[in-house]
Amino acid sequence: MSAKQARLIPYANRTLPRILSFQAGRHGGKVLVASASRSITYAGAPDIAARSAGRLAAAGVRAGDRVIVFLPNCMDLVELWFGAAWLGAVLVPVNTEFRGAQLHHALALADPALIVTDRELLEHLRDPKVRPATGARICVIGASATAVLDSDLPAAPLPAPGEPPAAHGALPGDPAAILYTSGTSGPSKGVICPHAQFFWWGVLTGEALDLSPEDVLFTTLPFFHTNALNTIWQALLTGATFTFAGRFSASQFWTQARQAGATVTYLLGAMVHILLKAPPGTVDQEHHIRVGLSPATSPELVEQFHQRFGIRLIEGYGSTETNLVMSNVNGGYAPGTMGRVLPGFEVRIVDENDSEVPCGKPGELLVRHSEPFSVANGYFGNPEATASAWRNLWFHTGDRVVRDGQGIYHFLDRIKDAIRRRGENISSWEVEQALLSHPDVQNAAVVGVPAEVGEEDVMAFIVPRDGSRPQPDVVTRFLEDRLARFAIPRYLQFVDELPLTENGKVKKYMLKEWGLSPATWDRDEPDISRRAQQ
């Protein structure tokens, strides 16, 4: 079945249990999910889902309950998702990098009936700042005996696969998962993602990537974000195979992809930069990947990546709250752009009053859908944030974009990340792209910091490439041919690493908290050459 043919699946069948059962008969013993530990075939997937549901039921989970999985990428997590859906429960994967108050917030907000983790991550639940709600049972994957944190927080092995119950009669609009936003600018929000939203992720992304049953979809992205989870649906709907690694590693990526037999992969803009900055080698072409989905990648890097690795990079615009709203293969390939709007969605670009702006003028992107439940149902336990984001019957993305005369959309920045300097709006993303094109820059992030007189100044945090010592004045001169003068950073700060979320997004609120320091280089200092040598 092609992704386009999947559109013909009746509305009532657009749930995970029904799709698992439907595809089992079509693809039989073919592998649906592959890993180093074990595989799941299409024919075996419904039974695994049912037995996993029995396992959750034995742990006290019922239809409608939330099940938190605090686990790294692993086959157990996939099976738990299948089982939760079969039981009518809701999977809540939590970022494995969350700690302390951040982890407590994620656990408390979901109000789970069950928390599933492993022995290593279990230790982080000891923290008094975390302390899961007393009503939540804690189970450990792989534990052979009861493990006790203390008298208030017992943990036990997850029950063995139990008697398989009949599939719960979930509806396409029922929640399949609650996914936390990255929390780059504040506390994470829990996005309520219905079954039909994942269905449409699979259909629309499958069409954009032209997936077929012969494809092997390989990801290193974390299962607690929508990209990796909806990739499972892309495979499921098209008869392809899904496989994964624990996390992204530039040194191991090509070897892992080759061993997996990957033909399709999933990257982020930062990952593209990192792979291109690695020394060239024979592994560059020793793979079978034909296409990669890679949001937020500049046209120059798209071309460089294709020349070096032989992979066509496709961009698609979407978010945890929406779906694949745009694709840059829709209506003709437009590399390095958000592309054009896909059927089933309407978009507007508006000013601060939600009034639409003319073509060519930047504004906030608003999205509206026509297919039922093809976007999120709102934010769990946060009706105020839901009402604010979906005000005036449009979802407010928080992204600042512009549309050109050909109907192609271009990303400029997050609204909160845009910098206002001396009457000019500056895209931090565009400044970052210019910095990343410098051969000695491994990574970079740009924020606005308070100016001495009104508005903001531009500050760049730069991670040098291993073994390099770029001089700040040389870096700013490098930018002169690539940026308007007002966009060139006044301040440069060289750091060993940037504070990142698990999926590679920079925690810019932390950079703003860091602000200026004695080590910060100031372009407006009278004696730049002296400062550059310090």
Side-chain angles (χ1 to χ4, degrees):
M1 178 186 291
S2 68
K4 191 173 292 294
Q5 289 172 324
R7 289 175 174 267
L8 302 177
I9 294 175
Y11 170 78
N13 293 338
R14 295 171 182 177
T15 67
L16 185 50
R18 288 177 179 259
I19 295 292
L20 287 174
S21 298
F22 177 72
Q23 293 291 61
R26 293 178 60 87
H27 298 288
K30 183 175 181 181
V31 173
L32 166 60
V33 184
S35 77
S37 62
R38 58 190 182 277
S39 296
I40 300 174
T41 65
Y42 278 86
D47 183 63
I48 286 174
R51 291 184 177 278
S52 182
R55 198 175 192 186
L56 292 171
V61 179
R62 300 292 179 263
D65 285 344
R66 272 83 56 200
V67 177
I68 280 183
V69 284
F70 188 45
L71 292 169
N73 285 10
C74 61
M75 190 65 86
D76 288 310
L77 197 155
V78 175
E79 293 178 357
L80 286 168
W81 192 26
F82 289 0
W86 197 270
L87 191 62
V90 183
L91 191 83
V92 188
V94 170
N95 192 324
T96 53
E97 294 296 315
F98 281 2
R99 300 290 183 267
Q102 191 178 32
L103 179 55
H104 173 78
H105 166 75
L107 301 184
L109 180 64
D111 188 22
L114 176 68
I115 299 170
V116 183
T117 188
D118 61 21
R119 281 195 173 276
E120 182 178 349
L121 290 169
L122 181 67
E123 293 302 309
H124 299 296
L125 303 182
R126 289 182 181 274
D127 188 343
K129 295 179 181 178
V130 174
R131 292 289 168 166
T134 55
R137 185 176 181 182
I138 302 173
C139 286
V140 181
I141 289 287
S144 58
T146 300
V148 179
L149 291 171
D150 54 49
S151 59
D152 297 324
L153 201 62
L158 187 68
E163 186 65 26
H168 178 78
L171 298 174
D174 290 345
I178 293 175
L179 303 180
Y180 286 104
T181 57
S182 297
T184 56
S185 59
S188 299
K189 296 187 287 290
V191 183
I192 307 169
C193 301
H195 288 263
Q197 184 186 16
F198 285 109
F199 171 84
W200 282 108
W201 271 117
V203 169
L204 296 170
T205 313
E207 289 176 347
L209 297 174
D210 194 23
L211 300 183
S212 76
E214 287 71 45
D215 279 316
V216 176
L217 318 184
F218 172 67
T219 188
T220 63
L221 296 172
F223 287 0
F224 47 76
H225 287 310
T226 190
N227 195 309
L229 282 188
N230 78 63
T231 301
I232 298 175
W233 276 78
Q234 294 168 39
L236 182 59
L237 290 176
T238 59
T241 295
F242 170 82
T243 188
F244 59 91
R247 59 175 62 236
F248 173 69
S249 167
S251 62
Q252 299 180 43
F253 181 81
W254 298 113
T255 300
Q256 291 171 333
R258 184 179 68 253
Q259 292 174 345
T263 61
V264 181
T265 195
Y266 302 81
L267 303 169
L268 301 174
M271 296 160 67
V272 170
H273 281 288
I274 292 170
L275 290 171
L276 283 170
K277 290 293 176 76
T282 56
V283 295
D284 291 357
Q285 298 279 341
E286 292 179 351
H287 60 80
H288 301 288
I289 299 174
R290 61 177 178 82
V291 66
L293 185 67
S294 179
T297 305
S298 68
E300 295 78 16
L301 292 185
V302 169
E303 178 59 26
Q304 290 176 35
F305 203 83
H306 184 262
Q307 289 294 325
R308 177 169 168 182
F309 302 113
I311 296 173
R312 186 188 190 202
L313 292 182
I314 290 174
E315 180 149 348
Y317 173 80
S319 67
T320 309
E321 294 93 338
T322 60
N323 214 297
L324 191 71
V325 177
M326 302 181 196
S327 166
N328 70 350
V329 293
N330 183 35
Y333 186 41
T337 72
M338 299 165 70
R340 297 178 176 87
V341 181
L342 294 173
F345 293 95
E346 298 176 71
V347 305
R348 300 177 68 193
I349 300 177
V350 303
D351 61 18
E352 63 276 10
N353 298 311
D354 279 6
S355 180
E356 194 162 11
V357 300
C359 180
K361 184 174 181 179
E364 182 179 9
L365 179 68
L366 273 54
V367 173
R368 190 158 64 184
H369 63 296
S370 60
E371 294 290 346
F373 300 105
S374 57
V375 303
N377 290 344
Y379 298 118
F380 185 78
N382 197 338
E384 295 83 4
T386 300
S388 176
W390 273 269
R391 66 185 181 273
N392 290 328
L393 303 180
W394 291 82
F395 176 69
H396 292 62
T397 67
D399 290 326
R400 185 168 172 267
V401 306
V402 65
R403 181 181 68 252
D404 66 24
Q406 297 178 303
I408 297 172
Y409 290 75
H410 302 261
F411 179 81
L412 298 178
D413 222 325
R414 293 288 292 167
I415 295 291
K416 293 181 179 178
D417 290 343
I419 301 167
R420 183 76 173 174
R421 181 172 187 247
R422 298 179 185 176
E424 300 283 356
N425 288 313
I426 299 170
S427 165
S428 65
W429 184 82
E430 289 181 342
V431 180
E432 289 159 1
Q433 297 304 301
L435 283 165
L436 288 167
S437 66
H438 191 287
D440 291 334
V441 174
Q442 178 70 39
N443 206 353
V446 172
V447 298
V449 295
E452 295 163 355
V453 181
E455 298 187 319
E456 296 176 298
D457 279 320
V458 183
M459 182 172 185
F461 291 83
I462 297 172
V463 180
R465 194 181 63 179
D466 291 344
S468 65
R469 295 174 58 88
Q471 295 298 311
D473 57 328
V474 174
V475 172
T476 54
R477 285 201 300 271
F478 174 83
L479 297 176
E480 289 176 357
D481 293 332
R482 293 165 173 81
L483 294 171
R485 181 168 178 78
F486 61 78
I488 297 174
R490 173 179 175 178
Y491 301 110
L492 299 185
Q493 177 79 55
F494 293 95
V495 295
D496 293 331
E497 60 182 4
L498 296 173
L500 302 176
T501 66
E502 184 69 13
N503 67 339
K505 293 183 179 180
V506 179
K507 298 177 181 177
K508 290 197 173 181
Y509 70 92
M510 291 185 64
L511 298 183
K512 291 181 179 181
E513 290 173 0
W514 292 357
L516 306 181
S517 75
T520 302
W521 182 82
D522 183 356
R523 185 165 61 97
D524 289 353
E525 275 287 304
D527 189 358
I528 292 179
S529 61
R530 178 180 61 82
R531 289 292 302 274
Q533 296 171 2
Q534 289 181 345

